[in-house]
Amino acid sequence: MIHQLLAVLWIYLPAYVANAAPVVLGGGRPLDGGATWVDGKPLLGSHKTIRGCAVGMLAGALVGVAQGWPTVGVVQGVGAILGDLMSSFVKRRLDLEPGASAPLLDQLDFIVVAALLSQPLTKASHQDLATIILLTVPIHYLANFFSWLFKVKDRPW
Ligand code: CTP
Ligand code: MG
């Protein structure tokens, strides 16, 4: 059981690291350059930065290299960042401020896109996909809580 859970986490390690890296190493100029969408609200918002996106994709790739499947690392790194950007886009449409909580969307954005995009490479089963999605919700809450506790993030979500 534990072995199976760890095996699934191993498959998605590039996505996890790609998602976490921007929180620690991101910041600076926003990716959307302050642009607004047709609704007049920010396209992505100030929390999605150029450096954060670059660092996340690079981190995913590096983990994949270390694991011996560089292509999976690249695809999951790009997928994780894309998923995170997509959820920011949706949050801005819903009038949520950058950093505001959007339960499930905030937790699952990166893993859903990374897992689906990398599936042809990882050959993950439906059960693997279901497992990682279910595991990600509690892991994300725990990780964010500890990041907040240790002052890496300024909010506990
Ligand atoms: N971050 C970044 N670049 C990214 C993603 C994240 O620089 N592409 C950094 C930012 O400093 C951001 C922090 O990581 O404030 C937390 O990211 P996240 O929780 O994904 O975003 P939110 O603050 O919740 O913003 P949003 O409402 O747009 O999801
Ligand atoms: Mg997010």
Side-chain angles (χ1 to χ4, degrees), residues 2-22:
I2 289 288
H3 182 263
Q4 274 169 323
L5 293 182
L6 290 177
V8 172
L9 283 174
W10 178 256
I11 297 176
Y12 298 106
L13 197 60
Y16 267 83
V17 176
N19 186 58

Side-chain angles (χ1 to χ4, degrees), residues 22-23 26-27 47-49 52-53 84 88 91-92 97-99 153:
V23 182
H47 286 194
K48 301 295 119 131
T49 68
C53 294
D84 188 46
S88 289
K91 285 170 75 176
R92 296 304 84 79
E97 292 293 318
K153 275 192 83 148

